[in-house]
Amino acid sequence: MRRREYEAPIELAHELFRTAETMQVAGTNAEGEVLLKSLHGVVDDGWVCFHAAPAGEKTSLLGRQVVVSVEETVARLPSYFLDAERACPATTLFRGAQVRGVLTAIDEPVSKARVLQRLMEKLQPEGGHAVIEAQSPLYRAAVKGILIGGVSLEGATAKAKLGQNRNDEARLKVMEQLWKRGAPGDVRAIELMREANPTTPTPTFLQNELGVRLHAALDERSLDETIGLLRGEYWNDVFSEDDLRRAHLGSTAWVGARAPDGQLVGTARALSDGGKYAWVYDVCVRSDWRGRGVGQAVMRILLDHPAVRRCQRVRLGTRDAQSLYRRFGFVDVATIKRPYATTEMVLARSTR
Ligand SMILES: CC(C)(COP(=O)(O)OP(=O)(O)OC[C@H]1O[C@@H](n2cnc3c(N)ncnc32)[C@H](O)[C@@H]1OP(=O)(O)O)[C@@H](O)C(=O)NCCC(=O)NCCS
């Protein structure tokens, strides 16, 4: 890799190959033609594997050196984030991985079936089919007839361009601009930039005097800890852990606070239509951290979050934390004067 500062740990390569919906494979066939094909790939036993028709073009790359590549755009940065006149700073933050190696046919039926089953689990996670097994009468012929190729992930490289080429001042400027712009993915981009540049100071909108690290976006890596904080809270008694997981992953904004030891001590999330309404849910602080301002800090980030800050009405329900929300200007719904009366209604049903 020419620019060493963009080199990312091998774990990122594994993650990207594991999660990417599509990949590209490139190589030259026996006729010397250069081929580039898009494919659905899956990681199995340290190999990135994919299926192909025995008579297809991908098959002509078998036994030959290929490159398999995945790429994810994190955020597009316009030039004016850093310079009011020059177009030169325009760039894209991205993460990607590549692996070079010999494309090898995987012939053993049990391994072939396992790769196909993994592909189904990735692309059709809801199931709805019989498990693919080599000896199953449903699949025996198909497993035999299909070609499975793989490239060992040993030697894979990952690249993450997340502002490492800039100085702290420029990185902070970009983070502030991403927070201000708030396009889909921008808040996640801020957190990825912070992870990739750990010595960069905290951007102003996440600064606090509480000794916690505030996060503008949490992701699936924080799910277990979040469920741990919310388990047993009175308003979640009708919801399962699975409901809570999906609710957090499906939220438009999910923010948090971590203690100096890295543990999650505060979380809050919101659903937003981006214009009229946002609904705040699951505000919670770990009991030994309560009363120190963490609840207010996560609420401040949540209300300032780009998905929420543009909403005309932000709603929430609370049994006894009214004084916390009053500090931000929340009032009892009944005190809002409207020229008509409405009844708040709910459809309470079990989805299980
Ligand atoms: C409510 C909660 C999120 C507040 O977090 P926190 O970090 O303790 O709050 P802060 O220290 O930032 O602010 C505390 C302020 O909120 C007020 N507050 C309101 N309800 C509160 C409650 N149930 N517990 C603690 N503080 C509460 C406090 O009175 C205090 O205001 P004050 O300084 O004027 O007295 C936290 O106590 C918690 O997780 N409670 C259990 C879960 C819960 O009830 N969540 C709210 C669901 S709507």
Side-chain angles (χ1 to χ4, degrees), residues 148-182:
I148 303 286
V151 179
S152 167
L153 276 176
E154 225 170 277
T157 55
K159 186 172 173 181
K161 184 169 186 256
L162 295 164
Q164 303 93 319
N165 56 328
R166 302 277 178 193
N167 59 23
D168 280 347
E169 192 193 345
R171 280 193 281 268
L172 287 170
K173 210 166 165 185
V174 167
M175 287 192 250
E176 301 278 350
Q177 295 279 2
L178 287 167
W179 184 242
K180 196 168 143 204
R181 180 174 74 178

PDB file of all heavy atoms in Angstrom, residues 148-182:
ATOM      1  N   ILE A 148     -17.723 -23.807  -6.834  1.00  0.00           N
ATOM      2  CA  ILE A 148     -17.402 -22.893  -5.729  1.00  0.00           C
ATOM      3  C   ILE A 148     -15.912 -22.583  -5.815  1.00  0.00           C
ATOM      4  O   ILE A 148     -15.080 -23.487  -5.848  1.00  0.00           O
ATOM      5  CB  ILE A 148     -17.710 -23.530  -4.352  1.00  0.00           C
ATOM      6  CG1 ILE A 148     -19.167 -23.979  -4.237  1.00  0.00           C
ATOM      7  CG2 ILE A 148     -17.332 -22.580  -3.217  1.00  0.00           C
ATOM      8  CD1 ILE A 148     -20.175 -22.875  -4.061  1.00  0.00           C
ATOM      9  N   GLY A 149     -15.612 -21.300  -5.873  1.00  0.00           N
ATOM     10  CA  GLY A 149     -14.216 -20.883  -5.909  1.00  0.00           C
ATOM     11  C   GLY A 149     -13.883 -20.095  -4.658  1.00  0.00           C
ATOM     12  O   GLY A 149     -14.779 -19.502  -4.037  1.00  0.00           O
ATOM     13  N   GLY A 150     -12.619 -20.101  -4.285  1.00  0.00           N
ATOM     14  CA  GLY A 150     -12.235 -19.361  -3.083  1.00  0.00           C
ATOM     15  C   GLY A 150     -10.810 -18.844  -3.172  1.00  0.00           C
ATOM     16  O   GLY A 150      -9.986 -19.376  -3.919  1.00  0.00           O
ATOM     17  N   VAL A 151     -10.568 -17.771  -2.416  1.00  0.00           N
ATOM     18  CA  VAL A 151      -9.219 -17.208  -2.295  1.00  0.00           C
ATOM     19  C   VAL A 151      -8.928 -17.101  -0.801  1.00  0.00           C
ATOM     20  O   VAL A 151      -9.762 -16.576  -0.049  1.00  0.00           O
ATOM     21  CB  VAL A 151      -9.129 -15.802  -2.944  1.00  0.00           C
ATOM     22  CG1 VAL A 151      -7.726 -15.228  -2.796  1.00  0.00           C
ATOM     23  CG2 VAL A 151      -9.530 -15.858  -4.405  1.00  0.00           C
ATOM     24  N   SER A 152      -7.773 -17.596  -0.381  1.00  0.00           N
ATOM     25  CA  SER A 152      -7.426 -17.527   1.042  1.00  0.00           C
ATOM     26  C   SER A 152      -7.295 -16.077   1.482  1.00  0.00           C
ATOM     27  O   SER A 152      -6.689 -15.252   0.786  1.00  0.00           O
ATOM     28  CB  SER A 152      -6.104 -18.253   1.280  1.00  0.00           C
ATOM     29  OG  SER A 152      -5.636 -17.929   2.568  1.00  0.00           O
ATOM     30  N   LEU A 153      -7.840 -15.806   2.664  1.00  0.00           N
ATOM     31  CA  LEU A 153      -7.784 -14.424   3.166  1.00  0.00           C
ATOM     32  C   LEU A 153      -6.434 -14.090   3.812  1.00  0.00           C
ATOM     33  O   LEU A 153      -6.205 -12.962   4.235  1.00  0.00           O
ATOM     34  CB  LEU A 153      -8.905 -14.177   4.175  1.00  0.00           C
ATOM     35  CG  LEU A 153     -10.265 -13.808   3.580  1.00  0.00           C
ATOM     36  CD1 LEU A 153     -11.300 -13.677   4.665  1.00  0.00           C
ATOM     37  CD2 LEU A 153     -10.185 -12.508   2.776  1.00  0.00           C
ATOM     38  N   GLU A 154      -5.560 -15.097   3.839  1.00  0.00           N
ATOM     39  CA  GLU A 154      -4.215 -14.820   4.345  1.00  0.00           C
ATOM     40  C   GLU A 154      -3.598 -13.761   3.437  1.00  0.00           C
ATOM     41  O   GLU A 154      -3.652 -13.891   2.216  1.00  0.00           O
ATOM     42  CB  GLU A 154      -3.394 -16.105   4.252  1.00  0.00           C
ATOM     43  CG  GLU A 154      -2.578 -16.389   5.481  1.00  0.00           C
ATOM     44  CD  GLU A 154      -1.996 -17.773   5.393  1.00  0.00           C
ATOM     45  OE1 GLU A 154      -2.733 -18.726   5.749  1.00  0.00           O
ATOM     46  OE2 GLU A 154      -0.861 -17.874   4.936  1.00  0.00           O
ATOM     47  N   GLY A 155      -3.064 -12.751   3.990  1.00  0.00           N
ATOM     48  CA  GLY A 155      -2.457 -11.716   3.135  1.00  0.00           C
ATOM     49  C   GLY A 155      -3.439 -10.667   2.662  1.00  0.00           C
ATOM     50  O   GLY A 155      -3.080  -9.814   1.842  1.00  0.00           O
ATOM     51  N   ALA A 156      -4.691 -10.723   3.146  1.00  0.00           N
ATOM     52  CA  ALA A 156      -5.648  -9.674   2.780  1.00  0.00           C
ATOM     53  C   ALA A 156      -5.178  -8.354   3.392  1.00  0.00           C
ATOM     54  O   ALA A 156      -4.509  -8.331   4.426  1.00  0.00           O
ATOM     55  CB  ALA A 156      -7.035 -10.025   3.304  1.00  0.00           C
ATOM     56  N   THR A 157      -5.509  -7.267   2.725  1.00  0.00           N
ATOM     57  CA  THR A 157      -5.160  -5.953   3.269  1.00  0.00           C
ATOM     58  C   THR A 157      -6.422  -5.101   3.367  1.00  0.00           C
ATOM     59  O   THR A 157      -7.346  -5.267   2.570  1.00  0.00           O
ATOM     60  CB  THR A 157      -4.142  -5.215   2.375  1.00  0.00           C
ATOM     61  OG1 THR A 157      -4.681  -5.144   1.056  1.00  0.00           O
ATOM     62  CG2 THR A 157      -2.800  -5.887   2.368  1.00  0.00           C
ATOM     63  N   ALA A 158      -6.426  -4.221   4.344  1.00  0.00           N
ATOM     64  CA  ALA A 158      -7.576  -3.325   4.505  1.00  0.00           C
ATOM     65  C   ALA A 158      -7.078  -1.892   4.473  1.00  0.00           C
ATOM     66  O   ALA A 158      -5.951  -1.587   4.898  1.00  0.00           O
ATOM     67  CB  ALA A 158      -8.290  -3.598   5.814  1.00  0.00           C
ATOM     68  N   LYS A 159      -7.938  -1.034   3.973  1.00  0.00           N
ATOM     69  CA  LYS A 159      -7.584   0.376   3.855  1.00  0.00           C
ATOM     70  C   LYS A 159      -8.761   1.181   4.379  1.00  0.00           C
ATOM     71  O   LYS A 159      -9.920   0.865   4.071  1.00  0.00           O
ATOM     72  CB  LYS A 159      -7.349   0.662   2.373  1.00  0.00           C
ATOM     73  CG  LYS A 159      -6.837   2.023   2.054  1.00  0.00           C
ATOM     74  CD  LYS A 159      -6.466   2.088   0.575  1.00  0.00           C
ATOM     75  CE  LYS A 159      -6.113   3.511   0.200  1.00  0.00           C
ATOM     76  NZ  LYS A 159      -5.768   3.638  -1.214  1.00  0.00           N
ATOM     77  N   ALA A 160      -8.462   2.192   5.171  1.00  0.00           N
ATOM     78  CA  ALA A 160      -9.531   3.060   5.660  1.00  0.00           C
ATOM     79  C   ALA A 160      -9.050   4.492   5.517  1.00  0.00           C
ATOM     80  O   ALA A 160      -8.084   4.902   6.181  1.00  0.00           O
ATOM     81  CB  ALA A 160      -9.855   2.735   7.114  1.00  0.00           C
ATOM     82  N   LYS A 161      -9.691   5.234   4.639  1.00  0.00           N
ATOM     83  CA  LYS A 161      -9.318   6.641   4.468  1.00  0.00           C
ATOM     84  C   LYS A 161     -10.294   7.463   5.287  1.00  0.00           C
ATOM     85  O   LYS A 161     -11.447   7.665   4.891  1.00  0.00           O
ATOM     86  CB  LYS A 161      -9.367   7.034   2.993  1.00  0.00           C
ATOM     87  CG  LYS A 161      -8.890   8.453   2.741  1.00  0.00           C
ATOM     88  CD  LYS A 161      -8.698   8.729   1.266  1.00  0.00           C
ATOM     89  CE  LYS A 161      -8.078  10.088   1.052  1.00  0.00           C
ATOM     90  NZ  LYS A 161      -9.006  11.086   0.591  1.00  0.00           N
ATOM     91  N   LEU A 162      -9.848   7.839   6.472  1.00  0.00           N
ATOM     92  CA  LEU A 162     -10.742   8.486   7.432  1.00  0.00           C
ATOM     93  C   LEU A 162     -10.080   9.729   8.025  1.00  0.00           C
ATOM     94  O   LEU A 162     -10.150   9.964   9.233  1.00  0.00           O
ATOM     95  CB  LEU A 162     -11.127   7.484   8.535  1.00  0.00           C
ATOM     96  CG  LEU A 162     -11.947   6.279   8.044  1.00  0.00           C
ATOM     97  CD1 LEU A 162     -11.961   5.164   9.086  1.00  0.00           C
ATOM     98  CD2 LEU A 162     -13.379   6.697   7.708  1.00  0.00           C
ATOM     99  N   GLY A 163      -9.402  10.452   7.176  1.00  0.00           N
ATOM    100  CA  GLY A 163      -8.813  11.718   7.616  1.00  0.00           C
ATOM    101  C   GLY A 163      -7.431  11.600   8.222  1.00  0.00           C
ATOM    102  O   GLY A 163      -6.906  12.584   8.754  1.00  0.00           O
ATOM    103  N   GLN A 164      -6.776  10.411   8.105  1.00  0.00           N
ATOM    104  CA  GLN A 164      -5.446  10.261   8.717  1.00  0.00           C
ATOM    105  C   GLN A 164      -4.411  11.159   8.056  1.00  0.00           C
ATOM    106  O   GLN A 164      -3.363  11.430   8.640  1.00  0.00           O
ATOM    107  CB  GLN A 164      -4.947   8.805   8.628  1.00  0.00           C
ATOM    108  CG  GLN A 164      -5.854   7.767   9.240  1.00  0.00           C
ATOM    109  CD  GLN A 164      -6.804   7.162   8.221  1.00  0.00           C
ATOM    110  OE1 GLN A 164      -7.350   7.866   7.385  1.00  0.00           O
ATOM    111  NE2 GLN A 164      -7.034   5.871   8.319  1.00  0.00           N
ATOM    112  N   ASN A 165      -4.667  11.580   6.812  1.00  0.00           N
ATOM    113  CA  ASN A 165      -3.703  12.412   6.078  1.00  0.00           C
ATOM    114  C   ASN A 165      -3.784  13.884   6.474  1.00  0.00           C
ATOM    115  O   ASN A 165      -3.024  14.697   5.990  1.00  0.00           O
ATOM    116  CB  ASN A 165      -3.955  12.282   4.569  1.00  0.00           C
ATOM    117  CG  ASN A 165      -5.382  12.623   4.192  1.00  0.00           C
ATOM    118  OD1 ASN A 165      -6.296  12.395   4.979  1.00  0.00           O
ATOM    119  ND2 ASN A 165      -5.593  13.152   3.011  1.00  0.00           N
ATOM    120  N   ARG A 166      -4.723  14.206   7.339  1.00  0.00           N
ATOM    121  CA  ARG A 166      -4.917  15.612   7.739  1.00  0.00           C
ATOM    122  C   ARG A 166      -4.358  15.859   9.128  1.00  0.00           C
ATOM    123  O   ARG A 166      -4.132  14.913   9.887  1.00  0.00           O
ATOM    124  CB  ARG A 166      -6.407  15.940   7.771  1.00  0.00           C
ATOM    125  CG  ARG A 166      -7.100  15.717   6.451  1.00  0.00           C
ATOM    126  CD  ARG A 166      -6.892  16.917   5.565  1.00  0.00           C
ATOM    127  NE  ARG A 166      -7.497  16.739   4.269  1.00  0.00           N
ATOM    128  CZ  ARG A 166      -7.249  17.527   3.241  1.00  0.00           C
ATOM    129  NH1 ARG A 166      -6.400  18.517   3.363  1.00  0.00           N
ATOM    130  NH2 ARG A 166      -7.831  17.337   2.087  1.00  0.00           N
ATOM    131  N   ASN A 167      -4.222  17.126   9.502  1.00  0.00           N
ATOM    132  CA  ASN A 167      -3.829  17.426  10.878  1.00  0.00           C
ATOM    133  C   ASN A 167      -5.086  17.543  11.753  1.00  0.00           C
ATOM    134  O   ASN A 167      -6.216  17.522  11.240  1.00  0.00           O
ATOM    135  CB  ASN A 167      -2.964  18.694  10.952  1.00  0.00           C
ATOM    136  CG  ASN A 167      -3.708  19.913  10.399  1.00  0.00           C
ATOM    137  OD1 ASN A 167      -4.938  19.926  10.370  1.00  0.00           O
ATOM    138  ND2 ASN A 167      -2.962  20.915   9.978  1.00  0.00           N
ATOM    139  N   ASP A 168      -4.871  17.651  13.052  1.00  0.00           N
ATOM    140  CA  ASP A 168      -6.009  17.673  13.986  1.00  0.00           C
ATOM    141  C   ASP A 168      -6.994  18.785  13.654  1.00  0.00           C
ATOM    142  O   ASP A 168      -8.208  18.591  13.700  1.00  0.00           O
ATOM    143  CB  ASP A 168      -5.506  17.863  15.425  1.00  0.00           C
ATOM    144  CG  ASP A 168      -4.988  16.562  16.015  1.00  0.00           C
ATOM    145  OD1 ASP A 168      -5.248  15.500  15.423  1.00  0.00           O
ATOM    146  OD2 ASP A 168      -4.308  16.628  17.061  1.00  0.00           O
ATOM    147  N   GLU A 169      -6.441  19.939  13.306  1.00  0.00           N
ATOM    148  CA  GLU A 169      -7.310  21.088  13.030  1.00  0.00           C
ATOM    149  C   GLU A 169      -8.270  20.777  11.872  1.00  0.00           C
ATOM    150  O   GLU A 169      -9.472  21.035  11.950  1.00  0.00           O
ATOM    151  CB  GLU A 169      -6.431  22.312  12.689  1.00  0.00           C
ATOM    152  CG  GLU A 169      -7.178  23.609  12.668  1.00  0.00           C
ATOM    153  CD  GLU A 169      -6.342  24.718  12.012  1.00  0.00           C
ATOM    154  OE1 GLU A 169      -5.125  24.544  11.838  1.00  0.00           O
ATOM    155  OE2 GLU A 169      -6.931  25.738  11.677  1.00  0.00           O
ATOM    156  N   ALA A 170      -7.719  20.199  10.804  1.00  0.00           N
ATOM    157  CA  ALA A 170      -8.556  19.877   9.636  1.00  0.00           C
ATOM    158  C   ALA A 170      -9.561  18.769   9.977  1.00  0.00           C
ATOM    159  O   ALA A 170     -10.723  18.819   9.575  1.00  0.00           O
ATOM    160  CB  ALA A 170      -7.674  19.455   8.472  1.00  0.00           C
ATOM    161  N   ARG A 171      -9.095  17.769  10.733  1.00  0.00           N
ATOM    162  CA  ARG A 171     -10.010  16.667  11.110  1.00  0.00           C
ATOM    163  C   ARG A 171     -11.177  17.200  11.927  1.00  0.00           C
ATOM    164  O   ARG A 171     -12.331  16.827  11.710  1.00  0.00           O
ATOM    165  CB  ARG A 171      -9.261  15.606  11.920  1.00  0.00           C
ATOM    166  CG  ARG A 171      -8.456  14.656  11.076  1.00  0.00           C
ATOM    167  CD  ARG A 171      -8.006  13.467  11.902  1.00  0.00           C
ATOM    168  NE  ARG A 171      -6.866  13.771  12.735  1.00  0.00           N
ATOM    169  CZ  ARG A 171      -5.597  13.584  12.349  1.00  0.00           C
ATOM    170  NH1 ARG A 171      -5.334  13.099  11.159  1.00  0.00           N
ATOM    171  NH2 ARG A 171      -4.595  13.880  13.147  1.00  0.00           N
ATOM    172  N   LEU A 172     -10.858  18.098  12.872  1.00  0.00           N
ATOM    173  CA  LEU A 172     -11.931  18.660  13.709  1.00  0.00           C
ATOM    174  C   LEU A 172     -12.901  19.483  12.863  1.00  0.00           C
ATOM    175  O   LEU A 172     -14.111  19.417  13.058  1.00  0.00           O
ATOM    176  CB  LEU A 172     -11.335  19.519  14.834  1.00  0.00           C
ATOM    177  CG  LEU A 172     -10.654  18.709  15.943  1.00  0.00           C
ATOM    178  CD1 LEU A 172      -9.887  19.629  16.886  1.00  0.00           C
ATOM    179  CD2 LEU A 172     -11.682  17.892  16.727  1.00  0.00           C
ATOM    180  N   LYS A 173     -12.349  20.193  11.902  1.00  0.00           N
ATOM    181  CA  LYS A 173     -13.191  21.008  11.018  1.00  0.00           C
ATOM    182  C   LYS A 173     -14.132  20.089  10.225  1.00  0.00           C
ATOM    183  O   LYS A 173     -15.333  20.366  10.114  1.00  0.00           O
ATOM    184  CB  LYS A 173     -12.272  21.794  10.061  1.00  0.00           C
ATOM    185  CG  LYS A 173     -12.833  23.117   9.628  1.00  0.00           C
ATOM    186  CD  LYS A 173     -11.712  23.933   8.993  1.00  0.00           C
ATOM    187  CE  LYS A 173     -12.260  25.097   8.208  1.00  0.00           C
ATOM    188  NZ  LYS A 173     -11.221  25.824   7.504  1.00  0.00           N
ATOM    189  N   VAL A 174     -13.576  18.992   9.723  1.00  0.00           N
ATOM    190  CA  VAL A 174     -14.405  18.050   8.947  1.00  0.00           C
ATOM    191  C   VAL A 174     -15.500  17.462   9.837  1.00  0.00           C
ATOM    192  O   VAL A 174     -16.668  17.373   9.440  1.00  0.00           O
ATOM    193  CB  VAL A 174     -13.519  16.933   8.334  1.00  0.00           C
ATOM    194  CG1 VAL A 174     -14.380  15.783   7.805  1.00  0.00           C
ATOM    195  CG2 VAL A 174     -12.652  17.501   7.219  1.00  0.00           C
ATOM    196  N   MET A 175     -15.142  17.076  11.072  1.00  0.00           N
ATOM    197  CA  MET A 175     -16.148  16.481  11.974  1.00  0.00           C
ATOM    198  C   MET A 175     -17.259  17.487  12.287  1.00  0.00           C
ATOM    199  O   MET A 175     -18.434  17.135  12.309  1.00  0.00           O
ATOM    200  CB  MET A 175     -15.489  15.976  13.255  1.00  0.00           C
ATOM    201  CG  MET A 175     -14.671  14.717  13.028  1.00  0.00           C
ATOM    202  SD  MET A 175     -14.184  13.957  14.587  1.00  0.00           S
ATOM    203  CE  MET A 175     -12.460  14.265  14.611  1.00  0.00           C
ATOM    204  N   GLU A 176     -16.856  18.738  12.525  1.00  0.00           N
ATOM    205  CA  GLU A 176     -17.868  19.776  12.804  1.00  0.00           C
ATOM    206  C   GLU A 176     -18.791  19.944  11.590  1.00  0.00           C
ATOM    207  O   GLU A 176     -20.001  20.090  11.729  1.00  0.00           O
ATOM    208  CB  GLU A 176     -17.199  21.131  13.119  1.00  0.00           C
ATOM    209  CG  GLU A 176     -16.240  21.131  14.307  1.00  0.00           C
ATOM    210  CD  GLU A 176     -16.935  21.261  15.665  1.00  0.00           C
ATOM    211  OE1 GLU A 176     -18.139  21.548  15.685  1.00  0.00           O
ATOM    212  OE2 GLU A 176     -16.237  21.052  16.690  1.00  0.00           O
ATOM    213  N   GLN A 177     -18.184  19.918  10.407  1.00  0.00           N
ATOM    214  CA  GLN A 177     -18.986  20.104   9.182  1.00  0.00           C
ATOM    215  C   GLN A 177     -19.920  18.918   8.946  1.00  0.00           C
ATOM    216  O   GLN A 177     -21.047  19.092   8.479  1.00  0.00           O
ATOM    217  CB  GLN A 177     -18.062  20.283   7.974  1.00  0.00           C
ATOM    218  CG  GLN A 177     -17.221  21.533   8.025  1.00  0.00           C
ATOM    219  CD  GLN A 177     -17.995  22.767   7.584  1.00  0.00           C
ATOM    220  OE1 GLN A 177     -19.176  22.693   7.282  1.00  0.00           O
ATOM    221  NE2 GLN A 177     -17.338  23.903   7.560  1.00  0.00           N
ATOM    222  N   LEU A 178     -19.438  17.718   9.244  1.00  0.00           N
ATOM    223  CA  LEU A 178     -20.293  16.529   9.081  1.00  0.00           C
ATOM    224  C   LEU A 178     -21.478  16.605  10.039  1.00  0.00           C
ATOM    225  O   LEU A 178     -22.612  16.278   9.701  1.00  0.00           O
ATOM    226  CB  LEU A 178     -19.493  15.243   9.347  1.00  0.00           C
ATOM    227  CG  LEU A 178     -18.487  14.829   8.271  1.00  0.00           C
ATOM    228  CD1 LEU A 178     -17.554  13.736   8.809  1.00  0.00           C
ATOM    229  CD2 LEU A 178     -19.200  14.333   7.020  1.00  0.00           C
ATOM    230  N   TRP A 179     -21.199  17.052  11.255  1.00  0.00           N
ATOM    231  CA  TRP A 179     -22.262  17.187  12.272  1.00  0.00           C
ATOM    232  C   TRP A 179     -23.289  18.219  11.824  1.00  0.00           C
ATOM    233  O   TRP A 179     -24.487  18.048  11.973  1.00  0.00           O
ATOM    234  CB  TRP A 179     -21.618  17.576  13.603  1.00  0.00           C
ATOM    235  CG  TRP A 179     -22.527  17.661  14.790  1.00  0.00           C
ATOM    236  CD1 TRP A 179     -22.786  18.776  15.528  1.00  0.00           C
ATOM    237  CD2 TRP A 179     -23.270  16.606  15.411  1.00  0.00           C
ATOM    238  NE1 TRP A 179     -23.636  18.482  16.553  1.00  0.00           N
ATOM    239  CE2 TRP A 179     -23.954  17.158  16.505  1.00  0.00           C
ATOM    240  CE3 TRP A 179     -23.419  15.249  15.147  1.00  0.00           C
ATOM    241  CZ2 TRP A 179     -24.780  16.405  17.350  1.00  0.00           C
ATOM    242  CZ3 TRP A 179     -24.249  14.488  15.973  1.00  0.00           C
ATOM    243  CH2 TRP A 179     -24.914  15.073  17.054  1.00  0.00           C
ATOM    244  N   LYS A 180     -22.767  19.304  11.226  1.00  0.00           N
ATOM    245  CA  LYS A 180     -23.644  20.371  10.748  1.00  0.00           C
ATOM    246  C   LYS A 180     -24.461  19.888   9.544  1.00  0.00           C
ATOM    247  O   LYS A 180     -25.672  20.089   9.479  1.00  0.00           O
ATOM    248  CB  LYS A 180     -22.767  21.572  10.342  1.00  0.00           C
ATOM    249  CG  LYS A 180     -23.508  22.860  10.193  1.00  0.00           C
ATOM    250  CD  LYS A 180     -22.505  24.007  10.082  1.00  0.00           C
ATOM    251  CE  LYS A 180     -23.025  25.027   9.103  1.00  0.00           C
ATOM    252  NZ  LYS A 180     -21.984  25.832   8.499  1.00  0.00           N
ATOM    253  N   ARG A 181     -23.802  19.221   8.588  1.00  0.00           N
ATOM    254  CA  ARG A 181     -24.513  18.782   7.383  1.00  0.00           C
ATOM    255  C   ARG A 181     -25.526  17.693   7.713  1.00  0.00           C
ATOM    256  O   ARG A 181     -26.670  17.747   7.293  1.00  0.00           O
ATOM    257  CB  ARG A 181     -23.503  18.272   6.340  1.00  0.00           C
ATOM    258  CG  ARG A 181     -24.181  17.798   5.051  1.00  0.00           C
ATOM    259  CD  ARG A 181     -23.166  17.439   3.984  1.00  0.00           C
ATOM    260  NE  ARG A 181     -22.486  16.165   4.268  1.00  0.00           N
ATOM    261  CZ  ARG A 181     -21.590  15.608   3.478  1.00  0.00           C
ATOM    262  NH1 ARG A 181     -21.253  16.200   2.336  1.00  0.00           N
ATOM    263  NH2 ARG A 181     -21.001  14.458   3.791  1.00  0.00           N
ATOM    264  N   GLY A 182     -25.084  16.670   8.447  1.00  0.00           N
ATOM    265  CA  GLY A 182     -26.011  15.630   8.915  1.00  0.00           C
ATOM    266  C   GLY A 182     -26.695  14.830   7.828  1.00  0.00           C
ATOM    267  O   GLY A 182     -27.824  14.374   8.002  1.00  0.00           O
TER     268      GLY A 182
END
